[in-house]
Amino acid sequence: MSVSELRPNREFEPQTQLLTAGTSVANSELRKQTLMVVDDYRSNLQAMNALFEFQYQVVMFDNAKEALAFAQVGSVDLILLDLDMPDMHGYDACTELKSNPLTAHIPVIFVTASDSSDDEARGLLLGAVDYITKPVNLTILRARVRNHMELVYYRKKLEILSSVDGLTGVANRRQLDTVLLQHYASTIRFGHSMTLMMIDIDDFKPYNDLYGHMQGDDCLKRVAKALQSVRRRETDFVGRYGGEEFAMVLPDTDLEGGLVVANKLLQAVRVLNIEHQGASETDRVTISIGLIVFEAKGDQSSHHSVEALIELADKQLYIAKRSGKNRVSYDPSTQLSSQSKADNEHE
């Protein structure tokens, strides 16, 4: 395909200006979105960049393998994907994107010189949201990209609303399960380590019985806010697991780093200084933490599931409770197995 087929032309400008006027999503909001363009011709990449750089953040790759790697760690809202590339065919790239939980949500638009209806059908069946043939009509391309970007924008808004726990403001169980699965998959893929903590408010039932459910709800909110305040990075994640139990996921975090955060969590709740005359160990609200570290080594991933990791963290939480509460219990081994290990606690 020649560059002239993609190069913006002045005759299209009045039409494309009309496309961006009076839309329901503010340009400033769409400008924050990221458009990935994958094409093995650099001239085409440059032309696409010139066409979209004032509307979105544009990232460009001349091969699919690097693009796929970036999509797993970067924030990508939409992908324009060429079909015929030497390193990996567009169909294969789309299949890999849709089979990976870290990238399956990203909409893909094929941009290709093939105008075969069979090719178009195959691309859509693989999960692409659109199929655009070259030579490209710039007005149509801009309109379709914007339409799909708006859908992404509203989908994310709805996801935020549906993923937040209405009482505490942290993520709900549904979102927690999703994020944990994503970080678990990423940990295995890149050979990193991940810390998971199950966190429970100590003696919460007696607190509710003594102070009433309105005070109990206020306690949950304050504790949730304290847990959130300890997050070091955007990728650190706090969610409400259920009742008075929370979970925290720390990607790329080993045992040492996890313990640092765990002790900060304990302290953050202590300094709230919430009175609790019904507590068994103290007269203030405290938390207990069960911590495990999942390190993707060798065939370890075949021995564990997300559910198994939660169960292991829950066992450590039980040990922390049994050992006096207001503490973190952890397994010092990063090579998790189905066999039981000696308990080791840390205050």
Side-chain angles (χ1 to χ4, degrees):
M1 175 181 171
S2 66
V3 181
S4 61
E5 292 170 323
L6 280 175
R7 184 180 295 120
N9 202 310
R10 280 184 297 178
E11 67 181 287
F12 291 106
E13 289 309 306
Q15 294 171 296
T16 54
Q17 287 173 9
L18 288 174
L19 287 171
T20 59
T23 53
S24 55
V25 180
N27 286 337
S28 60
E29 292 293 328
L30 293 180
R31 183 67 179 86
K32 300 173 186 176
Q33 294 179 296
T34 299
L35 174 68
M36 175 186 284
V37 184
V38 188
D39 194 302
D40 56 324
Y41 284 97
R42 288 189 174 272
S43 56
N44 290 346
L45 292 175
Q46 293 166 359
M48 286 291 193
N49 183 57
L51 186 62
F52 291 111
E53 64 179 339
F54 296 109
Q55 293 173 282
Y56 315 107
Q57 299 286 343
V58 181
V59 292
M60 300 174 291
F61 292 92
D62 60 6
N63 68 89
K65 290 183 179 178
E66 289 183 8
L68 291 173
F70 180 88
Q72 293 180 68
V73 296
S75 178
V76 179
D77 294 292
L78 180 66
I79 299 175
L80 295 181
L81 180 62
D82 190 22
L83 204 58
D84 294 314
M85 293 180 290
D87 70 318
M88 179 185 292
H89 197 275
Y91 289 149
D92 297 327
C94 185
T95 298
E96 188 164 333
L97 283 165
K98 295 305 173 183
S99 62
N100 188 330
L102 297 175
T103 56
H105 65 284
I106 306 174
V108 174
I109 299 177
F110 281 119
V111 182
T112 173
S114 174
D115 58 0
S116 163
S117 58
D118 288 340
D119 285 343
E120 181 177 1
R122 182 180 177 188
L124 296 175
L125 288 171
L126 286 174
V129 297
D130 213 337
Y131 189 97
I132 298 175
T133 57
K134 304 174 183 179
V136 175
N137 181 305
L138 300 184
T139 305
I140 292 176
L141 177 61
R142 266 186 164 174
R144 288 188 177 181
V145 167
R146 184 177 179 91
N147 287 343
H148 287 296
M149 282 296 202
E150 285 199 2
L151 289 173
V152 169
Y153 173 85
Y154 286 119
R155 188 196 73 216
K156 286 187 175 182
K157 287 287 187 182
L158 288 173
E159 285 177 351
I160 291 172
L161 291 174
S162 65
S163 64
V164 174
D165 177 62
L167 176 64
T168 63
V170 299
N172 60 20
R173 174 65 183 275
R174 174 176 170 272
Q175 181 67 3
L176 174 62
D177 289 342
T178 299
V179 171
L180 181 54
L181 179 62
Q182 290 174 342
H183 285 316
Y184 171 79
S186 179
T187 299
I188 292 175
R189 184 175 183 84
F190 296 105
H192 295 161
S193 57
M194 176 185 76
T195 292
L196 171 64
M197 288 183 276
M198 300 302 293
I199 306 159
D200 190 77
I201 300 177
D202 296 323
D203 300 305
F204 188 71
K205 186 180 184 303
Y207 185 91
N208 261 337
D209 293 341
L210 183 62
Y211 297 96
H213 288 284
M214 288 187 66
Q215 281 290 96
D217 287 351
D218 183 65
C219 177
L220 283 169
K221 292 179 198 176
R222 293 177 66 184
V223 169
K225 186 175 181 180
L227 300 180
Q228 283 277 59
S229 71
V230 176
R231 293 170 63 241
R232 305 165 301 166
R233 307 164 299 179
E234 285 298 317
T235 52
D236 293 347
F237 189 84
V238 177
R240 187 180 180 190
Y241 192 73
E244 69 275 16
E245 191 170 5
F246 299 85
M248 190 168 193
V249 186
L250 306 175
D252 301 330
T253 304
D254 58 14
L255 178 60
E256 182 179 0
L259 288 174
V260 169
V261 175
N263 281 283
K264 286 183 178 179
L265 292 173
L266 293 172
Q267 184 61 19
V269 174
R270 289 174 188 144
V271 299
L272 292 175
N273 201 32
I274 302 173
E275 181 182 308
H276 188 355
Q277 294 299 330
S280 59
E281 302 292 335
T282 180
D283 62 354
R284 291 293 182 267
V285 168
T286 59
I287 57 173
S288 295
I289 302 172
L291 182 151
I292 60 104
V293 176
F294 174 63
E295 189 174 57
K297 282 187 176 180
D299 64 349
Q300 178 193 5
S301 59
S302 64
H303 300 307
H304 292 280
S305 64
V306 169
E307 292 77 14
L309 298 181
I310 293 173
E311 183 179 347
L312 288 167
D314 260 333
K315 286 181 179 178
Q316 293 301 317
L317 176 60
Y318 173 78
I319 293 169
K321 293 282 190 181
R322 190 182 63 191
S323 303
K325 306 174 184 177
N326 190 26
R327 67 192 64 211
V328 53
S329 174
Y330 67 98
D331 189 325
S333 173
T334 56
Q335 280 283 14
L336 298 176
S337 72
S338 58
Q339 299 176 349
S340 62
K341 296 183 175 66
D343 299 335
N344 194 332
E345 292 136 27
H346 177 85
E347 281 196 61

